[in-house]
Amino acid sequence: LYSTAASAVVGGDYVTSSHPIFRSTVGVESYDDGDSEGVFCAGSVISKHHVLTAAHCLDAGKKNTVVIFSERLRSPEAQTFRSSRVFSHPKFDRFRVETLDFDVGIVRFEEALPSGYSVIGIPDLGHYEGLDLRAPVTFFVAGYGGVSKEDSTLRLKQAPLALSRIELPRGEISFFQKATGAICDGDS
């Protein structure tokens, strides 16, 4: 998700520090020195020193990447850790981002997780095998944005997502929205 309100996560509900989603969701910003705005995305804490995010957020030609621990991305209380290393899937092609193939990235940081944060639980792929999607299945997604297009705050939010099918090609999980209303007005 980009830093402008016009392309942020829209809809859903704000998440506070007492919510379980808060504990493993962070902001990721890539920027060049002197930039007034960088590229913002959400990420999930997958180990004590790693965040999973989209590769297009990391492979945007920017020199610096930071992980932001806060319910508000622009908060003075936010803890910001500079990345020590950034990884994008070797088959990700930033010039073909419209396909979203292999759009997976990892940010490494050296500091200890701030108080209140923990590693997200990642289910085994077998957990999804045989899942009956004839009835609506609802998952929750998290990201930063406002509750409307006019709301320019970049706060942590969650929104329900009804799914119509799950594909397990090449060991990947792909989710497709069933509803026509978008929860994300950006690219994430």
Side-chain angles (χ1 to χ4, degrees):
L1 101 98
Y2 293 95
S3 59
T4 62
S7 59
V9 174
V10 175
D13 299 308
Y14 290 120
V15 174
T16 64
S17 59
S18 62
H19 196 284
I21 287 176
F22 172 85
R23 292 192 281 267
S24 58
T25 305
V26 297
V28 176
E29 181 183 15
S30 293
Y31 63 95
D32 285 326
D33 295 329
D35 279 356
S36 61
E37 290 188 358
V39 176
F40 284 103
C41 288
S44 297
V45 178
I46 59 169
S47 86
K48 293 189 291 186
H49 297 283
H50 295 92
V51 168
L52 178 69
T53 191
H56 71 264
C57 301
L58 307 176
D59 194 19
K62 303 290 185 182
K63 287 175 39 178
N64 306 297
T65 300
V66 294
V67 178
I68 305 165
F69 294 86
S70 179
E71 70 182 76
R72 294 175 187 258
L73 289 183
R74 294 284 189 204
S75 169
E77 292 84 33
Q79 289 185 275
T80 302
F81 297 166
R82 191 173 197 82
S83 65
S84 60
R85 191 132 185 236
V86 174
F87 306 89
S88 292
H89 192 287
K91 292 186 178 180
F92 175 70
D93 181 352
R94 75 178 189 171
F95 300 107
R96 291 185 41 144
V97 74
E98 71 279 354
T99 66
L100 298 179
D101 289 342
F102 308 104
D103 191 12
V104 177
I106 295 178
V107 179
R108 178 173 173 77
F109 57 91
E110 300 303 323
E111 296 84 352
L113 283 176
S115 175
Y117 284 86
S118 60
V119 174
I120 191 170
I122 301 174
D124 185 282
L125 283 177
H127 176 77
Y128 296 104
E129 288 185 45
L131 186 62
D132 183 4
L133 292 175
R134 288 176 287 188
V137 175
T138 301
F139 289 81
F140 286 86
V141 294
Y144 290 87
V147 292
S148 69
K149 288 185 180 186
E150 293 76 32
D151 183 354
S152 63
T153 61
L154 290 174
R155 289 182 55 192
L156 183 57
K157 303 173 57 190
Q158 67 156 357
L161 177 62
L163 302 176
S164 60
R165 72 179 189 264
I166 297 175
E167 296 178 355
L168 296 173
R170 303 181 311 263
E172 298 175 1
I173 300 174
S174 300
F175 300 101
F176 299 91
Q177 286 185 200
K178 187 173 192 169
T180 56
I183 57 160
C184 181
D185 198 34
D187 64 334
S188 300

